[in-house]
Amino acid sequence: METSDIIAILALIVSVVAALLSGFAIYIQKKLNSTNLQAVYYEQIFKDFFLERIPEAASRLEFDETGRLSNSYKELNRVFLDMMEKCKYFAYANHDFYISLKEMIQDLEDKLIKESGIVEPEEADRIKFIYLAHEDVQNIIKVINKHYMN
């Protein structure tokens, strides 16, 4: 085999490798662009809820002097309903995530409404309920963050 044939074969190999690397780079860039676009959606939809509205509403959960959950739970429910309204994009973009989030929020709302109709005489039970409600809020936020990270 002549030197010119060896150079031609090496040039062909280098060209194929360069074409494969270029294709891979384009694939990675498209994936990165999609991820960046999703990040913008998440920030626009959830930023205000995560940084202000949810923590403020959750921190107001309390029982009144009669041992009933005060009307503060309604504000938390309203905040989550507002969030679900704003994130309807995901009903189309990622339906499974949207349904899962909706179910978690519905479960919390049901728990709060059920508790509001009960007189809770024991302070320890009241504290435990508030703790569990905060845990549910944390789990909702974790699910959203996990979905965002994926």
Side-chain angles (χ1 to χ4, degrees), residues 44-46 49 53 77-92 98 101-102 105:
Q44 287 180 351
I45 293 169
F46 296 114
F49 290 101
R53 294 186 65 191
N77 284 344
R78 195 172 318 111
V79 167
F80 277 119
L81 289 175
D82 289 349
M83 186 179 80
M84 287 307 297
E85 276 295 311
K86 289 211 175 206
C87 74
K88 279 190 177 180
Y89 156 79
F90 291 108
Y92 304 100
Y98 179 79
L101 184 60
K102 187 176 181 179
I105 289 171

Side-chain angles (χ1 to χ4, degrees), residues 1 30 66 92 147:
M1 196 179 275
K30 281 185 176 184
T66 67
Y92 304 100
H147 185 265

Side-chain angles (χ1 to χ4, degrees), residues 63-142:
F63 285 82
D64 63 20
E65 63 281 344
T66 67
R68 288 190 184 271
L69 188 61
S70 74
N71 284 333
S72 59
Y73 78 93
K74 291 179 181 179
E75 180 184 354
L76 184 60
N77 284 344
R78 195 172 318 111
V79 167
F80 277 119
L81 289 175
D82 289 349
M83 186 179 80
M84 287 307 297
E85 276 295 311
K86 289 211 175 206
C87 74
K88 279 190 177 180
Y89 156 79
F90 291 108
Y92 304 100
N94 190 333
H95 189 70
D96 292 339
F97 164 69
Y98 179 79
I99 293 301
S100 172
L101 184 60
K102 187 176 181 179
E103 287 172 355
M104 290 179 77
I105 289 171
Q106 185 65 54
D107 289 346
L108 175 60
E109 180 180 11
D110 292 346
K111 180 189 280 187
L112 293 171
I113 290 171
K114 181 180 175 185
E115 184 68 23
S116 71
I118 298 171
V119 174
E120 200 67 72
E122 298 296 323
E123 181 69 21
D125 291 336
R126 295 178 201 168
I127 291 170
K128 182 179 179 182
F129 179 83
I130 297 291
Y131 176 80
L132 292 174
H134 281 271
E135 229 175 35
D136 289 345
V137 170
Q138 288 174 343
N139 289 333
I140 290 168
I141 292 172
K142 284 178 187 177

